[in-house]
Amino acid sequence: MENFNEQLFNTMLVTLIEKYGLFINTKNCATVLGISSRTLDERRKSGVDCPEYIEEKKSIMYPVQKIVEYQINKTKNSIKTI
């Protein structure tokens, strides 16, 4: 399973880097996560359920690696139902 998680991480990372580059703005990050920009902003401001980000002046950027880590961790914490 560990090997699968590494492959998944690498595949997701390469795919996002090819599409967006190393850093993603709020709008694109929200799209990747399947939520609205407003929801992402609210989560970021509350410090709950949000990928790590970099804030520089008036710009918020999300490193692609942190978005992938966030998504994989969310998957690990999900509940499987039948």
Side-chain angles (χ1 to χ4, degrees):
M1 189 65 155
E2 184 67 32
N3 192 26
F4 173 77
N5 285 338
E6 276 185 44
Q7 287 179 322
L8 179 61
F9 178 86
N10 290 332
T11 301
M12 290 172 68
L13 186 62
V14 168
T15 301
L16 288 177
I17 289 173
E18 287 177 354
K19 185 167 184 174
Y20 298 106
L22 294 174
F23 295 93
I24 298 179
N25 63 22
T26 299
K27 180 182 175 186
N28 290 331
C29 182
T31 299
V32 168
L33 298 176
I35 59 176
S36 71
S37 296
R38 182 175 178 173
T39 298
L40 182 57
D41 280 337
E42 288 172 358
R43 289 179 182 182
R44 178 181 53 79
K45 289 174 185 175
S46 69
V48 177
D49 197 24
C50 177
E52 292 181 37
Y53 59 91
I54 297 170
E55 187 171 3
E56 192 168 308
K57 298 181 184 175
K58 293 186 179 182
S59 177
I60 305 292
M61 299 299 287
Y62 295 85
V64 176
Q65 178 180 353
K66 296 301 180 182
I67 295 169
V68 173
E69 288 173 4
Y70 169 82
Q71 288 180 307
I72 289 174
N73 286 333
K74 290 286 284 186
T75 302
K76 287 178 184 176
N77 295 330
S78 66
I79 298 171
K80 183 176 179 181
T81 60
I82 297 176

